[in-house]
Amino acid sequence: MNNQDVTICLTNPKSPSNVGAILRAAGCYNIPALLYTGNRYNKAKKHATDTQNVGKEISVTHVESFLESKPDDVKLVCIDFVEGAVPLPVFEHPEKAFYVFGPEDGSLKQDIVDAADFVVYMPTNGSLNLAAAANVVLYDRAAKSFSGHDDDLIRKSRDVNNRLKVPA
């Protein structure tokens, strides 16, 4: 599954550490864009923890509305505890998606849920941290589209101090 048509959408994020961690995950999964609404992140973004500096490669854009920013051929996927939502383990990810996450200290607005093509929840006891939730969704997307093992990816992805191999 191609991730070039995937966008992470954050509703009024407040924590620069969460946004930084989401940027790192977006870099790991080749997600090209992150959109956010609200003003709290603008005030706090200088403190972000994007330790791999992927923020330079990923488009990070403030928008007034995810709905107005979404292309017609992209599916709107809301991630939140919503009655009637589909559990993530059985959800089939669309090829093109806007994944919309609520704020750290609240929920999505009803109008965005009403406009969603899919509403998904993670079957956990209590809510996950915003960055953890985004990581789980991106991993789930990757896992469900996994097509095979390749040591080249391991070699390219690990840091310079890691040269581990499974014994033959």
Side-chain angles (χ1 to χ4, degrees):
M1 196 176 297
N2 179 2
N3 285 337
Q4 291 305 301
D5 294 317
V6 172
T7 300
I8 299 297
C9 302
L10 305 178
T11 306
N12 199 20
K14 71 174 185 173
S15 168
S17 59
N18 273 334
V19 176
I22 292 167
L23 281 171
R24 182 172 183 166
C28 289
Y29 292 107
N30 297 314
I31 305 299
L34 182 147
L35 302 179
Y36 68 96
T37 61
N39 295 314
R40 297 187 300 181
Y41 179 63
N42 288 338
K43 296 174 185 173
K45 66 183 169 184
K46 65 182 175 185
H47 304 290
T49 58
D50 172 15
T51 59
Q52 292 184 345
N53 292 318
V54 296
K56 296 174 183 173
E57 300 169 19
I58 297 170
S59 169
V60 178
T61 307
H62 178 266
V63 297
E64 292 301 318
S65 167
F66 300 130
L67 297 177
E68 292 174 11
S69 302
K70 186 186 76 60
D72 290 338
D73 64 335
V74 173
K75 300 296 184 187
L76 187 70
V77 182
C78 289
I79 312 291
D80 207 341
F81 284 119
V82 178
E83 291 181 29
V86 175
L88 183 62
V90 299
F91 176 63
E92 293 183 30
H93 296 267
E95 184 70 30
K96 299 178 180 184
F98 262 34
Y99 290 101
V100 181
F101 295 86
E104 291 101 324
D105 53 356
S107 296
L108 293 170
K109 301 283 187 218
Q110 189 65 51
D111 66 327
I112 194 103
V113 173
D114 291 346
D117 295 291
F118 305 99
V119 182
V120 178
Y121 78 98
M122 286 173 268
T124 58
N125 292 315
S127 61
L128 293 173
N129 164 282
L130 177 61
N135 272 273
V136 168
V137 169
L138 294 177
Y139 173 79
D140 186 74
R141 180 181 174 88
K144 289 175 179 171
S145 65
F146 187 73
S147 61
H149 170 68
D150 184 358
D151 278 345
D152 288 337
L153 178 61
I154 293 170
R155 286 186 208 98
K156 184 176 88 174
S157 297
R158 63 186 176 188
D159 70 30
V160 295
N161 297 317
N162 178 347
R163 296 294 171 246
L164 297 170
K165 295 181 181 181
V166 174

